[in-house]
Amino acid sequence: MDNFKEKNNMSAYSDLTSSEDVLYTDMGAWFQGERVVIRGKDLFTEFKNASWIEILLFGITGKSYTQDQIKLFNGMWTLCGSYPDPRIWNNRIASLAGTARSTTALAIGAATAVSEAKIYGRGPDIRSIDFLLRTKDKIDLGIDLNEVVKEELKKHRTIAGFGRPVINKDERIKPMHDLAEELNLLNGDYVNLVYDVEEYLLKGRYRMRMNIASFLAALMADQGFTVREYYQFMVLGFSAGMFPCYIDAVNKPEGSFFPLRCERINYTGVAQRKWNSKKN
Amino acid sequence: MMKDKENITSKIWMEEAEDNNPFLAKKSYLHGYDVFGDLLPNVSYIEYLYLLFRGDAPTDNQCKLLEIICIALANPGPRDHSVMAAMSSSVGGSGNAASLMAALAVGAGSLNGGRELFLCMQQWDISECDLDKWQHEIQSYADNPVEDVWPVATHCPGFEPHSDFIKTQTIQLLELLCEKTESQYLNWLNENMNQLSSISGAPISMVSVVSAVYKTLDFSAEQAEMFYLLSRLPGAAAHALEQQSIGWKKFPFWPNGIKLSNDPKK
């Protein structure tokens, strides 16, 4: 039998044998009937006055934040992700689940998974903060911003977090801008950078405005968030808008959410034909 | 079709309504074939699936390829992560849809999941049956990762991360497919599996074989990923139901299995 791993003292499956029946972790555990530890802290004593968003972020980053930072993070979800409009693609899953009489948890679970999209939600989130972090690194090395943006456009034909499906203006930026300003958390390097990028893109033929993904990414990068931390924080960020969509649909007559007649299928395929067994 | 109203554009499906209810389909057509009047009495399930995805009737060879792969994938077994997820759902009394959603979520990843299959299909599309191109793809799979919602791949797609030899079932599947079907991709893989494994430093996995089948069927990477995700669900469903009836007390929980490195009480 051929052996394809380089020979060493470890077996090819040593990662598995060393983990059999044991999980070494610093993330936490439930001590049955007694207590819970999360990232080295006792849940019941150290978090009894914490808001849910504080423990969510502690679970993601292992860090604690000031009350002003928490207000900023809370505002991101409240102002930027809580749209109870069932036409939006992820929310529509919640409405369809309601009209088809599925459960709330299935509705929200599926709609949350769907929010990890390419053209909205988690895809632009993760690519936006990645772009800003990379761009700032390059500028710090002395590379001109215009060159960085040109290179990015050449490579990806777009800039993550700029432009928007359906409409080119993002109404969430002003209220979020105002909140960050009120909290004195607006003037970090990444927020300045995202405005500089927008200025460049508006000047040129691209005519792309920043959307909320890049603005939030800039705010979070200024608070020290990494790519993964920002993405993970945003995963549940649309959920407050999903529940009303489900509730509305489940309270209306079953099947009555934007029903489609048979003739609403715009068929563009081949003409009617007869099955002739296999075409070997 | 109502052109002045919202509608769904589709090359796949057309419907004719009942005379007295515009919301009920009297006839449905799949790629031009009358589903209930013509296909239902005449086609096999595999033929129907192929037609659905590819838009035309399959050949005998294509049917055989799909049938073999569907059986090989239908039950990854209860130790598979996606099946474990479905069972973990059902032992707590969660709904059956939740169990399948759990299986899909876990079975979507780049360790034996849909993502690995998708990435492997991309390698096939780039490399075809060219060992030099494969060598380049294998050696550069981790270069220039693009930030994405998916975690960065930690092994080359299509190769086993935890073995130093090609597992018996992978060889059995590949040999059977080469014997019973015609495919330049499978034949090439059969001839080159040892070289590919040597280049990778890890043996080829079942994912390589399955993606060679989808490549033979001319599936896009996206079609292949979807088909793969679908194909692995029956086992998750069956094992979830089994564990649901056996109950949580007999399902692994590892009561002393967690060792905390930062317990504040220690």
Side-chain angles (χ1 to χ4, degrees):
Chain A
M1 189 170 287
D2 290 290
N3 184 311
F4 302 110
K5 285 251 192 254
E6 285 182 21
K7 295 284 184 200
N8 56 38
N9 292 328
M10 310 253 285
S11 80
Y13 49 90
S14 60
D15 283 348
L16 306 187
T17 51
S18 64
S19 304
E20 278 187 296
D21 294 310
V22 64
L23 173 70
Y24 295 98
T25 181
D26 56 5
M27 286 297 171
W30 165 46
F31 293 82
Q32 291 96 315
E34 187 194 336
R35 63 197 171 97
V36 176
V37 175
I38 176 165
R39 286 185 178 265
K41 292 191 177 187
D42 184 89
L43 179 72
F44 299 142
T45 56
E46 299 205 44
F47 289 93
K48 64 180 177 183
N49 294 317
S51 64
W52 185 75
I53 215 160
E54 284 175 88
I55 194 151
L56 173 74
L57 281 167
F58 183 72
I60 292 170
T61 68
K63 294 176 190 163
S64 297
Y65 299 90
T66 67
Q67 283 308 300
D68 279 349
Q69 284 178 305
I70 292 297
K71 282 181 192 165
L72 181 78
F73 306 146
N74 192 63
M76 292 179 178
W77 280 22
T78 307
L79 300 175
C80 308
S82 309
Y83 279 32
D85 188 322
R87 295 170 302 174
I88 300 170
W89 305 296
N90 53 345
N91 287 347
R92 200 181 305 183
I93 312 305
S95 299
L96 288 166
T99 205
R101 301 299 188 254
S102 187
T103 75
T104 309
L106 291 172
I108 306 305
T112 302
V114 165
S115 302
E116 197 163 70
K118 277 194 179 121
I119 62 170
Y120 70 100
R122 308 299 76 82
D125 288 348
I126 204 163
R127 293 194 302 276
S128 298
I129 193 166
D130 175 57
F131 166 70
L132 292 174
L133 293 174
R134 283 189 290 108
T135 301
K136 169 89 170 32
D137 286 348
K138 288 177 185 168
I139 289 169
D140 289 347
L141 289 171
I143 304 172
D144 182 60
L145 173 65
N146 295 354
E147 290 307 311
V148 180
V149 176
K150 264 187 213 163
E151 186 61 31
E152 192 79 8
L153 282 167
K154 197 172 154 191
K155 200 168 168 188
H156 302 295
R157 287 187 299 176
T158 185
I159 302 286
F162 289 82
R164 194 181 182 197
V166 186
I167 186 169
N168 195 21
K169 182 190 171 191
D170 200 320
E171 68 284 346
R172 293 166 286 189
I173 290 172
K174 182 167 187 319
M176 201 59 224
H177 178 283
D178 291 350
L179 176 65
E181 193 168 44
E182 193 182 305
L183 295 167
N184 211 17
L185 293 171
L186 185 64
N187 294 315
D189 290 344
Y190 289 98
V191 169
N192 292 335
L193 173 62
V194 83
Y195 276 107
D196 288 345
V197 174
E198 181 179 62
E199 192 183 335
Y200 173 81
L201 289 173
L202 282 176
K203 263 191 316 194
R205 61 191 163 91
Y206 308 105
R207 306 226 172 270
M208 285 191 291
R209 291 187 176 278
M210 81 170 86
N211 63 43
I212 197 66
S214 58
F215 188 61
L216 296 189
L219 287 168
M220 292 300 257
D222 278 330
Q223 301 310 313
F225 276 67
T226 66
V227 171
R228 289 277 144 189
E229 286 168 350
Y230 170 52
Y231 155 70
Q232 284 161 349
F233 169 63
M234 291 304 290
V235 164
L236 300 177
F238 290 155
S239 47
M242 295 168 186
F243 286 86
C245 296
Y246 175 83
I247 292 164
D248 190 42
V250 83
N251 286 337
K252 288 189 162 72
E254 60 185 351
S256 65
F257 174 74
F258 287 127
L260 295 168
R261 293 168 181 241
C262 297
E263 63 187 334
R264 294 294 193 97
I265 297 173
N266 173 24
Y267 181 65
T268 56
V270 297
Q272 289 178 27
R273 50 185 170 166
K274 285 291 283 182
W275 182 264
N276 290 317
S277 152
K278 292 159 205 159
K279 53 156 194 178
N280 289 309
Chain B
M1 204 267 291
M2 303 174 82
K3 281 189 175 165
D4 54 336
K5 305 270 189 182
E6 299 278 7
N7 56 60
I8 297 169
T9 300
S10 176
K11 278 184 184 170
I12 298 175
W13 197 258
M14 186 182 79
E15 290 179 353
E16 288 172 9
E18 294 279 6
D19 297 339
N20 49 0
N21 188 332
F23 293 97
L24 289 182
K26 181 168 72 178
K27 283 194 172 187
S28 302
Y29 295 88
L30 174 64
H31 291 293
Y33 298 111
D34 180 349
V35 176
F36 283 77
D38 190 8
L39 293 180
L40 201 51
N42 293 314
V43 299
S44 70
Y45 184 52
I46 291 289
E47 286 173 320
Y48 187 89
L49 284 179
Y50 183 92
L51 173 65
L52 183 60
F53 275 70
R54 300 292 305 160
D56 234 327
T59 63
D60 274 344
N61 189 49
Q62 288 165 331
C63 278
K64 197 70 199 165
L65 283 162
L66 260 190
E67 183 153 7
I68 291 173
I69 218 71
C70 283
I71 296 169
L73 293 175
N75 186 13
R79 295 184 309 108
D80 179 86
H81 297 115
S82 68
V83 182
M84 279 285 282
M87 296 188 305
S88 192
S89 163
S90 65
V91 290
S94 305
N96 292 328
S99 299
L100 287 186
M101 283 165 68
L104 272 177
V106 173
S110 58
L111 177 58
N112 297 323
R115 182 67 180 167
E116 177 165 12
L117 193 281
F118 176 85
L119 294 171
C120 199
M121 286 298 293
Q122 287 188 322
Q123 289 182 329
W124 272 110
D125 287 342
I126 293 167
S127 308
E128 296 279 329
C129 296
D130 183 328
L131 197 58
D132 290 339
K133 286 183 178 171
W134 272 101
Q135 179 160 4
H136 177 265
E137 285 301 304
I138 289 167
Q139 290 172 343
S140 62
Y141 83 93
D143 296 349
N144 306 314
V146 176
E147 274 299 347
D148 187 14
V149 295
W150 297 101
V152 173
T154 43
H155 73 271
C156 185
F159 296 86
E160 296 272 4
H162 297 304
S163 175
D164 52 10
F165 59 88
I166 302 172
K167 77 171 185 175
T168 307
Q169 291 175 354
T170 301
I171 293 174
Q172 279 180 309
L173 176 63
L174 183 53
E175 285 179 348
L176 179 79
L177 285 162
C178 288
E179 183 192 327
K180 301 277 186 189
T181 68
E182 289 167 21
S183 161
Q184 58 161 325
Y185 299 105
L186 288 160
N187 290 337
W188 184 86
L189 185 63
N190 198 28
E191 286 162 18
N192 290 278
M193 61 183 173
N194 288 332
Q195 289 94 316
L196 287 167
S197 302
S198 294
I199 293 165
S200 169
I204 65 158
S205 70
M206 198 83 85
V207 172
S208 278
V209 181
V210 174
S211 52
V213 171
Y214 294 139
K215 179 72 183 161
T216 308
L217 293 167
D218 201 24
F219 279 20
S220 68
E222 290 81 6
Q223 285 175 326
E225 182 186 8
M226 279 286 197
F227 219 93
Y228 184 73
L229 289 167
L230 282 172
S231 299
R232 283 160 52 90
L233 286 179
H239 284 292
L241 291 172
E242 182 186 49
Q243 294 304 314
Q244 199 172 51
S245 65
I246 293 172
W248 64 268
K249 287 181 182 171
K250 290 191 175 173
F251 192 65
F253 188 78
W254 295 281
N256 300 308
I258 294 191
K259 304 295 178 201
L260 268 190
S261 60
N262 55 354
D263 185 348
K265 274 213 169 174
K266 283 188 180 170

PDB file of all heavy atoms in Angstrom, chain A residues 115-140:
ATOM      1  N   SER A 115     -28.701  35.179   5.039  1.00  0.00           N
ATOM      2  CA  SER A 115     -28.101  36.520   5.150  1.00  0.00           C
ATOM      3  C   SER A 115     -26.605  36.511   4.854  1.00  0.00           C
ATOM      4  O   SER A 115     -25.989  37.573   4.746  1.00  0.00           O
ATOM      5  CB  SER A 115     -28.326  37.091   6.556  1.00  0.00           C
ATOM      6  OG  SER A 115     -29.698  37.148   6.847  1.00  0.00           O
ATOM      7  N   GLU A 116     -26.053  35.332   4.742  1.00  0.00           N
ATOM      8  CA  GLU A 116     -24.634  35.202   4.395  1.00  0.00           C
ATOM      9  C   GLU A 116     -24.513  35.221   2.869  1.00  0.00           C
ATOM     10  O   GLU A 116     -24.083  34.252   2.243  1.00  0.00           O
ATOM     11  CB  GLU A 116     -24.134  33.876   4.966  1.00  0.00           C
ATOM     12  CG  GLU A 116     -22.658  33.750   5.053  1.00  0.00           C
ATOM     13  CD  GLU A 116     -22.267  32.610   5.984  1.00  0.00           C
ATOM     14  OE1 GLU A 116     -22.472  31.435   5.649  1.00  0.00           O
ATOM     15  OE2 GLU A 116     -21.770  32.913   7.065  1.00  0.00           O
ATOM     16  N   ALA A 117     -24.919  36.339   2.286  1.00  0.00           N
ATOM     17  CA  ALA A 117     -25.033  36.409   0.827  1.00  0.00           C
ATOM     18  C   ALA A 117     -23.827  37.097   0.202  1.00  0.00           C
ATOM     19  O   ALA A 117     -23.017  37.688   0.897  1.00  0.00           O
ATOM     20  CB  ALA A 117     -26.311  37.158   0.457  1.00  0.00           C
ATOM     21  N   LYS A 118     -23.763  36.996  -1.122  1.00  0.00           N
ATOM     22  CA  LYS A 118     -22.657  37.662  -1.826  1.00  0.00           C
ATOM     23  C   LYS A 118     -22.925  39.145  -2.025  1.00  0.00           C
ATOM     24  O   LYS A 118     -22.021  39.958  -1.908  1.00  0.00           O
ATOM     25  CB  LYS A 118     -22.444  37.011  -3.200  1.00  0.00           C
ATOM     26  CG  LYS A 118     -21.593  35.761  -3.131  1.00  0.00           C
ATOM     27  CD  LYS A 118     -21.130  35.346  -4.521  1.00  0.00           C
ATOM     28  CE  LYS A 118     -20.264  34.108  -4.418  1.00  0.00           C
ATOM     29  NZ  LYS A 118     -20.783  32.980  -5.185  1.00  0.00           N
ATOM     30  N   ILE A 119     -24.189  39.491  -2.374  1.00  0.00           N
ATOM     31  CA  ILE A 119     -24.463  40.885  -2.741  1.00  0.00           C
ATOM     32  C   ILE A 119     -24.987  41.714  -1.575  1.00  0.00           C
ATOM     33  O   ILE A 119     -25.185  42.910  -1.705  1.00  0.00           O
ATOM     34  CB  ILE A 119     -25.406  40.992  -3.961  1.00  0.00           C
ATOM     35  CG1 ILE A 119     -26.771  40.370  -3.663  1.00  0.00           C
ATOM     36  CG2 ILE A 119     -24.773  40.376  -5.187  1.00  0.00           C
ATOM     37  CD1 ILE A 119     -27.812  40.671  -4.747  1.00  0.00           C
ATOM     38  N   TYR A 120     -25.290  41.098  -0.465  1.00  0.00           N
ATOM     39  CA  TYR A 120     -25.682  41.863   0.727  1.00  0.00           C
ATOM     40  C   TYR A 120     -25.342  41.011   1.942  1.00  0.00           C
ATOM     41  O   TYR A 120     -25.053  39.814   1.818  1.00  0.00           O
ATOM     42  CB  TYR A 120     -27.187  42.203   0.707  1.00  0.00           C
ATOM     43  CG  TYR A 120     -28.086  41.005   0.902  1.00  0.00           C
ATOM     44  CD1 TYR A 120     -28.658  40.743   2.146  1.00  0.00           C
ATOM     45  CD2 TYR A 120     -28.349  40.107  -0.125  1.00  0.00           C
ATOM     46  CE1 TYR A 120     -29.477  39.638   2.335  1.00  0.00           C
ATOM     47  CE2 TYR A 120     -29.159  39.012   0.046  1.00  0.00           C
ATOM     48  CZ  TYR A 120     -29.731  38.770   1.290  1.00  0.00           C
ATOM     49  OH  TYR A 120     -30.510  37.681   1.485  1.00  0.00           O
ATOM     50  N   GLY A 121     -25.371  41.616   3.115  1.00  0.00           N
ATOM     51  CA  GLY A 121     -25.146  40.844   4.336  1.00  0.00           C
ATOM     52  C   GLY A 121     -23.691  40.484   4.549  1.00  0.00           C
ATOM     53  O   GLY A 121     -22.780  41.278   4.322  1.00  0.00           O
ATOM     54  N   ARG A 122     -23.475  39.225   4.948  1.00  0.00           N
ATOM     55  CA  ARG A 122     -22.151  38.853   5.453  1.00  0.00           C
ATOM     56  C   ARG A 122     -21.048  38.868   4.398  1.00  0.00           C
ATOM     57  O   ARG A 122     -19.891  39.109   4.738  1.00  0.00           O
ATOM     58  CB  ARG A 122     -22.215  37.468   6.118  1.00  0.00           C
ATOM     59  CG  ARG A 122     -23.301  37.296   7.190  1.00  0.00           C
ATOM     60  CD  ARG A 122     -23.137  38.236   8.358  1.00  0.00           C
ATOM     61  NE  ARG A 122     -23.532  39.604   8.121  1.00  0.00           N
ATOM     62  CZ  ARG A 122     -24.781  40.078   8.186  1.00  0.00           C
ATOM     63  NH1 ARG A 122     -25.777  39.264   8.440  1.00  0.00           N
ATOM     64  NH2 ARG A 122     -25.040  41.360   7.997  1.00  0.00           N
ATOM     65  N   GLY A 123     -21.389  38.609   3.155  1.00  0.00           N
ATOM     66  CA  GLY A 123     -20.351  38.648   2.117  1.00  0.00           C
ATOM     67  C   GLY A 123     -19.702  40.019   2.016  1.00  0.00           C
ATOM     68  O   GLY A 123     -18.490  40.166   2.198  1.00  0.00           O
ATOM     69  N   PRO A 124     -20.513  41.084   1.745  1.00  0.00           N
ATOM     70  CA  PRO A 124     -19.939  42.428   1.717  1.00  0.00           C
ATOM     71  C   PRO A 124     -19.297  42.833   3.050  1.00  0.00           C
ATOM     72  O   PRO A 124     -18.290  43.538   3.064  1.00  0.00           O
ATOM     73  CB  PRO A 124     -21.147  43.324   1.398  1.00  0.00           C
ATOM     74  CG  PRO A 124     -22.084  42.429   0.665  1.00  0.00           C
ATOM     75  CD  PRO A 124     -21.912  41.068   1.255  1.00  0.00           C
ATOM     76  N   ASP A 125     -19.879  42.378   4.172  1.00  0.00           N
ATOM     77  CA  ASP A 125     -19.277  42.722   5.479  1.00  0.00           C
ATOM     78  C   ASP A 125     -17.825  42.281   5.521  1.00  0.00           C
ATOM     79  O   ASP A 125     -16.923  43.054   5.839  1.00  0.00           O
ATOM     80  CB  ASP A 125     -20.006  41.977   6.628  1.00  0.00           C
ATOM     81  CG  ASP A 125     -21.393  42.525   6.900  1.00  0.00           C
ATOM     82  OD1 ASP A 125     -21.719  43.605   6.385  1.00  0.00           O
ATOM     83  OD2 ASP A 125     -22.151  41.856   7.631  1.00  0.00           O
ATOM     84  N   ILE A 126     -17.617  41.021   5.231  1.00  0.00           N
ATOM     85  CA  ILE A 126     -16.284  40.446   5.412  1.00  0.00           C
ATOM     86  C   ILE A 126     -15.302  41.003   4.383  1.00  0.00           C
ATOM     87  O   ILE A 126     -14.144  41.286   4.689  1.00  0.00           O
ATOM     88  CB  ILE A 126     -16.369  38.893   5.382  1.00  0.00           C
ATOM     89  CG1 ILE A 126     -15.183  38.290   6.128  1.00  0.00           C
ATOM     90  CG2 ILE A 126     -16.477  38.324   3.986  1.00  0.00           C
ATOM     91  CD1 ILE A 126     -15.409  36.835   6.501  1.00  0.00           C
ATOM     92  N   ARG A 127     -15.787  41.204   3.167  1.00  0.00           N
ATOM     93  CA  ARG A 127     -14.887  41.727   2.144  1.00  0.00           C
ATOM     94  C   ARG A 127     -14.579  43.208   2.383  1.00  0.00           C
ATOM     95  O   ARG A 127     -13.490  43.686   2.072  1.00  0.00           O
ATOM     96  CB  ARG A 127     -15.489  41.517   0.750  1.00  0.00           C
ATOM     97  CG  ARG A 127     -15.573  40.044   0.345  1.00  0.00           C
ATOM     98  CD  ARG A 127     -15.840  39.878  -1.150  1.00  0.00           C
ATOM     99  NE  ARG A 127     -17.068  40.528  -1.561  1.00  0.00           N
ATOM    100  CZ  ARG A 127     -18.282  39.992  -1.466  1.00  0.00           C
ATOM    101  NH1 ARG A 127     -18.433  38.778  -0.970  1.00  0.00           N
ATOM    102  NH2 ARG A 127     -19.352  40.651  -1.873  1.00  0.00           N
ATOM    103  N   SER A 128     -15.550  43.931   2.974  1.00  0.00           N
ATOM    104  CA  SER A 128     -15.330  45.361   3.248  1.00  0.00           C
ATOM    105  C   SER A 128     -14.239  45.564   4.282  1.00  0.00           C
ATOM    106  O   SER A 128     -13.328  46.369   4.081  1.00  0.00           O
ATOM    107  CB  SER A 128     -16.606  46.007   3.811  1.00  0.00           C
ATOM    108  OG  SER A 128     -17.628  45.944   2.898  1.00  0.00           O
ATOM    109  N   ILE A 129     -14.330  44.864   5.396  1.00  0.00           N
ATOM    110  CA  ILE A 129     -13.328  45.092   6.440  1.00  0.00           C
ATOM    111  C   ILE A 129     -11.969  44.572   5.978  1.00  0.00           C
ATOM    112  O   ILE A 129     -10.935  45.177   6.270  1.00  0.00           O
ATOM    113  CB  ILE A 129     -13.762  44.491   7.805  1.00  0.00           C
ATOM    114  CG1 ILE A 129     -12.836  45.026   8.923  1.00  0.00           C
ATOM    115  CG2 ILE A 129     -13.814  42.981   7.790  1.00  0.00           C
ATOM    116  CD1 ILE A 129     -13.334  44.789  10.326  1.00  0.00           C
ATOM    117  N   ASP A 130     -11.982  43.502   5.205  1.00  0.00           N
ATOM    118  CA  ASP A 130     -10.715  42.984   4.673  1.00  0.00           C
ATOM    119  C   ASP A 130     -10.063  44.041   3.776  1.00  0.00           C
ATOM    120  O   ASP A 130      -8.866  44.312   3.877  1.00  0.00           O
ATOM    121  CB  ASP A 130     -10.972  41.691   3.900  1.00  0.00           C
ATOM    122  CG  ASP A 130      -9.720  41.182   3.220  1.00  0.00           C
ATOM    123  OD1 ASP A 130      -8.722  40.970   3.933  1.00  0.00           O
ATOM    124  OD2 ASP A 130      -9.740  40.989   1.992  1.00  0.00           O
ATOM    125  N   PHE A 131     -10.874  44.650   2.910  1.00  0.00           N
ATOM    126  CA  PHE A 131     -10.347  45.694   2.016  1.00  0.00           C
ATOM    127  C   PHE A 131      -9.771  46.863   2.813  1.00  0.00           C
ATOM    128  O   PHE A 131      -8.675  47.351   2.532  1.00  0.00           O
ATOM    129  CB  PHE A 131     -11.462  46.185   1.076  1.00  0.00           C
ATOM    130  CG  PHE A 131     -11.121  47.459   0.359  1.00  0.00           C
ATOM    131  CD1 PHE A 131     -10.158  47.476  -0.637  1.00  0.00           C
ATOM    132  CD2 PHE A 131     -11.754  48.656   0.698  1.00  0.00           C
ATOM    133  CE1 PHE A 131      -9.831  48.663  -1.284  1.00  0.00           C
ATOM    134  CE2 PHE A 131     -11.425  49.843   0.056  1.00  0.00           C
ATOM    135  CZ  PHE A 131     -10.456  49.843  -0.945  1.00  0.00           C
ATOM    136  N   LEU A 132     -10.512  47.309   3.827  1.00  0.00           N
ATOM    137  CA  LEU A 132     -10.046  48.469   4.604  1.00  0.00           C
ATOM    138  C   LEU A 132      -8.766  48.151   5.371  1.00  0.00           C
ATOM    139  O   LEU A 132      -7.841  48.967   5.400  1.00  0.00           O
ATOM    140  CB  LEU A 132     -11.146  48.931   5.564  1.00  0.00           C
ATOM    141  CG  LEU A 132     -12.388  49.541   4.898  1.00  0.00           C
ATOM    142  CD1 LEU A 132     -13.466  49.831   5.930  1.00  0.00           C
ATOM    143  CD2 LEU A 132     -12.029  50.823   4.140  1.00  0.00           C
ATOM    144  N   LEU A 133      -8.703  46.972   5.982  1.00  0.00           N
ATOM    145  CA  LEU A 133      -7.498  46.612   6.744  1.00  0.00           C
ATOM    146  C   LEU A 133      -6.292  46.508   5.808  1.00  0.00           C
ATOM    147  O   LEU A 133      -5.210  47.014   6.111  1.00  0.00           O
ATOM    148  CB  LEU A 133      -7.713  45.289   7.491  1.00  0.00           C
ATOM    149  CG  LEU A 133      -8.749  45.309   8.627  1.00  0.00           C
ATOM    150  CD1 LEU A 133      -8.974  43.899   9.188  1.00  0.00           C
ATOM    151  CD2 LEU A 133      -8.332  46.232   9.766  1.00  0.00           C
ATOM    152  N   ARG A 134      -6.496  45.876   4.642  1.00  0.00           N
ATOM    153  CA  ARG A 134      -5.385  45.726   3.681  1.00  0.00           C
ATOM    154  C   ARG A 134      -4.955  47.090   3.143  1.00  0.00           C
ATOM    155  O   ARG A 134      -3.766  47.372   2.978  1.00  0.00           O
ATOM    156  CB  ARG A 134      -5.803  44.825   2.520  1.00  0.00           C
ATOM    157  CG  ARG A 134      -5.804  43.339   2.860  1.00  0.00           C
ATOM    158  CD  ARG A 134      -6.003  42.487   1.620  1.00  0.00           C
ATOM    159  NE  ARG A 134      -7.332  42.567   1.058  1.00  0.00           N
ATOM    160  CZ  ARG A 134      -7.648  43.181  -0.078  1.00  0.00           C
ATOM    161  NH1 ARG A 134      -6.718  43.763  -0.796  1.00  0.00           N
ATOM    162  NH2 ARG A 134      -8.894  43.196  -0.502  1.00  0.00           N
ATOM    163  N   THR A 135      -5.961  47.928   2.851  1.00  0.00           N
ATOM    164  CA  THR A 135      -5.655  49.231   2.258  1.00  0.00           C
ATOM    165  C   THR A 135      -4.873  50.098   3.240  1.00  0.00           C
ATOM    166  O   THR A 135      -3.895  50.755   2.868  1.00  0.00           O
ATOM    167  CB  THR A 135      -6.974  49.936   1.839  1.00  0.00           C
ATOM    168  OG1 THR A 135      -7.630  49.092   0.899  1.00  0.00           O
ATOM    169  CG2 THR A 135      -6.712  51.288   1.206  1.00  0.00           C
ATOM    170  N   LYS A 136      -5.290  50.080   4.502  1.00  0.00           N
ATOM    171  CA  LYS A 136      -4.580  50.881   5.518  1.00  0.00           C
ATOM    172  C   LYS A 136      -3.135  50.388   5.666  1.00  0.00           C
ATOM    173  O   LYS A 136      -2.203  51.203   5.775  1.00  0.00           O
ATOM    174  CB  LYS A 136      -5.340  50.763   6.840  1.00  0.00           C
ATOM    175  CG  LYS A 136      -4.644  51.304   8.064  1.00  0.00           C
ATOM    176  CD  LYS A 136      -4.947  52.773   8.279  1.00  0.00           C
ATOM    177  CE  LYS A 136      -4.486  53.315   9.614  1.00  0.00           C
ATOM    178  NZ  LYS A 136      -3.302  52.760  10.205  1.00  0.00           N
ATOM    179  N   ASP A 137      -2.952  49.067   5.628  1.00  0.00           N
ATOM    180  CA  ASP A 137      -1.587  48.518   5.715  1.00  0.00           C
ATOM    181  C   ASP A 137      -0.726  49.062   4.577  1.00  0.00           C
ATOM    182  O   ASP A 137       0.432  49.425   4.770  1.00  0.00           O
ATOM    183  CB  ASP A 137      -1.607  46.982   5.630  1.00  0.00           C
ATOM    184  CG  ASP A 137      -2.115  46.359   6.924  1.00  0.00           C
ATOM    185  OD1 ASP A 137      -2.223  47.095   7.934  1.00  0.00           O
ATOM    186  OD2 ASP A 137      -2.403  45.141   6.928  1.00  0.00           O
ATOM    187  N   LYS A 138      -1.314  49.113   3.375  1.00  0.00           N
ATOM    188  CA  LYS A 138      -0.551  49.581   2.210  1.00  0.00           C
ATOM    189  C   LYS A 138      -0.243  51.070   2.316  1.00  0.00           C
ATOM    190  O   LYS A 138       0.861  51.509   1.979  1.00  0.00           O
ATOM    191  CB  LYS A 138      -1.319  49.288   0.916  1.00  0.00           C
ATOM    192  CG  LYS A 138      -1.320  47.801   0.577  1.00  0.00           C
ATOM    193  CD  LYS A 138      -2.137  47.508  -0.655  1.00  0.00           C
ATOM    194  CE  LYS A 138      -2.215  46.006  -0.868  1.00  0.00           C
ATOM    195  NZ  LYS A 138      -3.214  45.639  -1.865  1.00  0.00           N
ATOM    196  N   ILE A 139      -1.228  51.839   2.763  1.00  0.00           N
ATOM    197  CA  ILE A 139      -1.012  53.288   2.915  1.00  0.00           C
ATOM    198  C   ILE A 139       0.075  53.543   3.958  1.00  0.00           C
ATOM    199  O   ILE A 139       0.930  54.417   3.786  1.00  0.00           O
ATOM    200  CB  ILE A 139      -2.340  53.986   3.290  1.00  0.00           C
ATOM    201  CG1 ILE A 139      -3.272  53.968   2.086  1.00  0.00           C
ATOM    202  CG2 ILE A 139      -2.100  55.420   3.754  1.00  0.00           C
ATOM    203  CD1 ILE A 139      -4.678  54.390   2.396  1.00  0.00           C
ATOM    204  N   ASP A 140       0.047  52.759   5.018  1.00  0.00           N
ATOM    205  CA  ASP A 140       1.077  52.907   6.062  1.00  0.00           C
ATOM    206  C   ASP A 140       2.476  52.612   5.514  1.00  0.00           C
ATOM    207  O   ASP A 140       3.475  53.093   6.046  1.00  0.00           O
ATOM    208  CB  ASP A 140       0.775  51.989   7.250  1.00  0.00           C
ATOM    209  CG  ASP A 140      -0.439  52.474   8.045  1.00  0.00           C
ATOM    210  OD1 ASP A 140      -0.873  53.623   7.822  1.00  0.00           O
ATOM    211  OD2 ASP A 140      -0.950  51.699   8.878  1.00  0.00           O
TER     212      ASP A 140
END
